[in-house]
Amino acid sequence: MTAYANLSAHFGRAAALGNAIGILQWDNDVMMPKGAAGTRAESLALLRVMHHGLTTDERIGDWLAEAEVQDGLGPWERANLREIRRLWTVETALPADLVEASSKAISACEMRWRQARAESDFAGLLPFLAEVLTLQREIGRAKGEKLGLSPYDALLNDYEPGGRSATIDALFDDLAAFLPGFTQEALAVQARRPQTPDPEGPFAIEAQRALGLRMMAALGYDFERGRLDVSTHPFCGGADNDVRITTRYDEADFAKALMGVLHETGHALYEQGRPQAYLHQPVGQARGMSLHESQSLLVEMQACRSEEFIAYAAPLMREAFGGSGPAWETDALWRRYTRVEPGFIRVDADEVTYPAHVILRYRLEKALIADAMPLSELPVAWSAGMKELLGVTVPNDRLGCLQDVHWPSGGWGYFPTYTLGAMTAAQIFDAACRAQPEILPGIGRGDFAPLLAWLRTNIHSQGCLLETDDLLTQATGRPLDASVFKAHLQRRYGG
Amino acid sequence: MTAYANLSAHFGRAAALGNAIGILQWDNDVMMPKGAAGTRAESLALLRVMHHGLTTDERIGDWLAEAEVQDGLGPWERANLREIRRLWTVETALPADLVEASSKAISACEMRWRQARAESDFAGLLPFLAEVLTLQREIGRAKGEKLGLSPYDALLNDYEPGGRSATIDALFDDLAAFLPGFTQEALAVQARRPQTPDPEGPFAIEAQRALGLRMMAALGYDFERGRLDVSTHPFCGGADNDVRITTRYDEADFAKALMGVLHETGHALYEQGRPQAYLHQPVGQARGMSLHESQSLLVEMQACRSEEFIAYAAPLMREAFGGSGPAWETDALWRRYTRVEPGFIRVDADEVTYPAHVILRYRLEKALIADAMPLSELPVAWSAGMKELLGVTVPNDRLGCLQDVHWPSGGWGYFPTYTLGAMTAAQIFDAACRAQPEILPGIGRGDFAPLLAWLRTNIHSQGCLLETDDLLTQATGRPLDASVFKAHLQRRYGG
């Protein structure tokens, strides 16, 4: 076997193990009876150790060195080697005792966080979160040394390979200058419109589920390689060729589940569209979290909150729930799904105010990792940021800096990908609609085939063949900037 | 660490991996979209190879030798060492090329079998089945050499540790002499009774499911450590502390799903009642397939086809399906659930005729493994056996020797455990009712606590502390014989 063949077989095994982990984690979140939690945690921990063992196998370094000078490899194989080296560099960067210390600190902090959030008790969380932060800094330093990156960029790199905070700073500063004023403008526009009532429930869960399945089918989701189920926190997970999404139903508001389903379907379409020939290889994976989020937001925000989509979907909504009257008029439904309302909670935020939540978190976590701000000042800095960016006064830490699990669970460097994703979605959708004028009229008829075909060709099937910037440039003509996203907001919400 | 501690930790890891396999297999059979079959097969194959790697680790032999002379071990630890040696001996008995050849032959044969059964084409299956048989003989020989057993006993030993065909021959000859005459007697008794109609459907699946769940709860099934779902072939599976059962619903006959649920609940109660302190160790597993089947049949046949059970369940059945009239009288329902009817298909057989199906298969597979009969003669021998034992004339091989997947899938030596289980169930239930007179009156009120308490103490919590014969002797006063089973049939079905 050539060195490349060895690597390919080896990482194919790692993928098979990763697929097992994916299904066990899905089951954990969707199906598992609660008495099995301890047993499952043991199984998952063992499989993750085994997976880490595979991706840090001592033969990989030699195979890589040999394969990288091997003749006869095509562009996909070369890109696969690049991704394997990337993975291997990161996986071997950390000493085992740091991994273990971090894992323990995260477990303790996550558990303490549930209580602290419920009691709005930042002081109680502080020592636990400080420990997690200290270890994240060490992890960032260790990875950064290997990668030639700052600690924060090294952490970011795990979620957004090739992402750099210098680039994000510029993008986010641009948005941050635009958003506070624009939010006020959007609110003013909204206030001038006549008020329409909201559809009134209860909305039967079976009818909500049927409507969700119908939309998934229309979008091109492949039910032979996935499922729709229920979980507390909606997600897209599972395995290669087994891309499962979840939602949760609220009998008082069918839009939550439906928009959640559309969002996760966007993620799932990306996963189902990855290149089959490299499905189990690093080069066949999704390009990064920003691009992943761009696919969910492209479906949920760009396509499925458009007037075209509502024109198609409103009759189906009326039919599904037997709705009639002013609340069910197409225009009323569209306004409901595009309502702007500054609030405290990120996950409840609309398209206009969401980026402010993310920019705040990004700025804070960058300062904290750089040790440029004491962790004890987080609540004060949080409130100041919310005031500045969103114009709201945070009443307590439960509705403030304690609301998200990301920091307690060690997800430092993740937050920016949400808004990078939103901007990327706007830029990609805009390019797609220019290249294929049938996309928007198609959506108006419930025909997503032109959109999906364009995404399959230009994004999904590309895997990790290119770096993110190069992929975006190939697909849209230029690297990411904020202009298309701003223009999109202006068009949909502006005066 | 002591050698025992090393072994315990090592087999704890094997159990964690086994639990992962169990859930992935459950998902495969219950939840998986069909497009994921190939991906899942890869994951399961990898995990099984890893599991085999753990249980054949080269350090085990030294650890065992050292631990077996280690001081201070209690009876559970000693029994654990005995079970570990047993496992390790079997797992290391086979050369890798034989395992691989057998696995490939089984895959090919199983696939060919589906077609052969549909087309009643034994000749088409013959070369594939001959290959499986040849390799099973080799496997039996290889294991037998290590264990000092005949090839057939070595195969049997995988399902029924300590089981011997000489013992089974005597038990089955006893039954075979009794059953043909007794079946005619039971049919005559049945014919003399007034005829009652069957309850008529359709029976809504939701109502069937609710009734099943209610019965499971009454039996003491722990829903915090398990679930009830649907699959094509009902089974009990999952993992430690996560004991899941499945059923399938027929809208025309609610008894199929209900009796299936009761059967699988019997298996599940055994699994949920294994000793927590040794749950992940070999000594904490169920004792063997006969005892496992005894627990399902004890619940389904002994407890839940009793007149006491029907007296409790009949009103619930009427309530669940809004049933009334002669078909729903308690006595009519009891007769329906104890109807005797000789037929061709094992899985459809009643309690009286089932053993004949098993005895036939046992005799044939023993002869085939011993090379005492050409495989090509199987259809003729099958028909002759069915005529002799059940008095029926098999019309074709689809309804004859092609009906079961066991032989094509390499499950040689498994069949006898069904009827050993039925006999064991009768003997255990009889001993339980003698020791605890509240059991049957309790069942009449839907109170299974006295029965479950007795089973927990005397069977479930015992794991593999004792060998099967010793456990049965401790629980019932003597090793297995056919007398209690025959007396049970006589009492329920005789004249």
Side-chain angles (χ1 to χ4, degrees), chain A residues 69-351:
Chain A
V69 295
Q70 195 175 316
D71 284 335
L73 298 181
W76 280 91
E77 284 77 19
R78 298 243 159 261
N80 200 24
L81 290 176
R82 184 193 67 220
E83 295 302 318
I84 289 173
R85 179 169 285 286
R86 174 173 256 158
L87 263 175
W88 177 73
T89 305
V90 172
E91 292 267 343
T92 54
L94 303 184
D97 58 346
L98 179 54
V99 174
E100 198 189 333
S102 173
S103 169
K104 284 183 181 166
I106 286 168
S107 294
C109 189
E110 247 196 274
M111 204 181 312
R112 189 66 182 74
W113 168 75
R114 287 172 213 288
Q115 188 191 342
R117 183 172 68 159
E119 298 169 358
S120 201
D121 172 25
F122 181 77
L125 184 67
L126 186 56
F128 294 88
L129 191 57
E131 178 70 9
V132 169
L133 172 58
T134 301
L135 291 162
Q136 286 287 308
R137 260 189 223 122
E138 274 187 52
I139 289 171
R141 260 200 303 272
K143 289 183 175 175
E145 267 170 35
K146 277 252 198 168
L147 297 163
L149 295 175
S150 74
Y152 185 81
D153 279 1
L155 294 173
L156 171 68
N157 187 68
D158 280 349
Y159 308 109
E160 189 52 32
R164 298 289 179 268
S165 51
T167 317
I168 298 174
D169 286 341
L171 290 165
F172 281 12
D173 287 349
D174 183 350
L175 265 189
F178 166 79
L179 282 175
F182 180 74
T183 303
Q184 294 312 312
E185 178 186 329
L187 289 170
V189 168
Q190 192 167 271
R192 284 197 299 272
R193 286 196 182 127
Q195 299 297 302
T196 47
D198 288 346
E200 269 188 42
F203 305 102
I205 287 173
E206 259 319 301
Q208 291 194 49
R209 179 174 153 81
L211 184 62
L213 291 170
R214 185 166 180 173
M215 298 286 176
M216 289 168 72
L219 278 157
Y221 179 90
D222 178 0
F223 285 97
E224 297 228 326
R225 295 188 294 138
R227 306 174 40 97
L228 169 66
D229 294 278
V230 173
S231 69
T232 316
H233 302 285
F235 68 99
C236 172
D240 297 338
N241 285 323
D242 196 356
V243 182
R244 305 178 180 193
I245 69 170
T246 68
T247 190
R248 60 182 160 194
Y249 298 101
D250 179 348
E251 288 203 309
D253 179 5
F254 71 87
K256 283 184 188 165
L258 181 60
M259 288 298 168
V261 163
L262 295 169
H263 182 94
E264 301 306 336
T265 299
H267 282 303
L269 292 175
Y270 192 4
E271 288 294 317
Q272 291 188 333
R274 293 194 282 114
Q276 278 291 329
Y278 298 94
L279 201 59
H280 306 323
Q281 292 294 312
V283 75
Q285 305 309 303
R287 180 58 283 189
M289 290 318 300
S290 295
L291 216 61
H292 228 308
E293 191 69 10
S294 86
Q295 294 308 289
S296 56
L297 291 174
L298 187 150
V299 170
E300 182 201 347
M301 295 292 182
Q302 298 290 323
C304 295
R305 295 192 200 244
S306 68
E307 298 190 58
E308 287 81 358
F309 177 81
I310 301 289
Y312 149 69
L316 300 182
M317 292 173 179
R318 290 191 285 267
E319 181 193 322
F321 306 110
S324 64
W328 293 89
E329 297 292 325
T330 302
D331 184 60
L333 289 169
W334 182 76
R335 276 193 238 162
R336 176 160 166 64
Y337 297 126
T338 54
R339 189 177 295 158
V340 178
E341 197 172 357
F344 305 118
I345 302 295
R346 175 183 60 84
V347 296
D348 295 337
D350 57 81
E351 192 181 15

Side-chain angles (χ1 to χ4, degrees), chain A residues 16 27 34-35 43 224 244, chain B residues 16 27 31 34-35 43 224 244:
Chain A
D27 183 272
K34 67 180 175 185
S43 291
E224 297 228 326
R244 305 178 180 193
Chain B
D27 184 271
M31 292 288 159
K34 67 180 176 183
S43 291
E224 297 227 327
R244 306 177 180 194

Side-chain angles (χ1 to χ4, degrees), chain B residues 379-394:
Chain B
V380 171
W382 185 282
S383 297
M386 287 297 282
K387 189 77 194 166
E388 177 202 335
L389 289 162
L390 275 167
V392 299
T393 304
V394 175

Side-chain angles (χ1 to χ4, degrees), chain A residues 19-28 40 44 47, chain B residues 20 23-24:
Chain A
N19 283 329
I21 293 169
I23 295 298
L24 287 168
Q25 187 65 56
W26 174 88
D27 183 272
N28 188 89
R40 179 64 52 85
L44 277 169
L47 263 55
Chain B
I23 295 298
L24 288 168

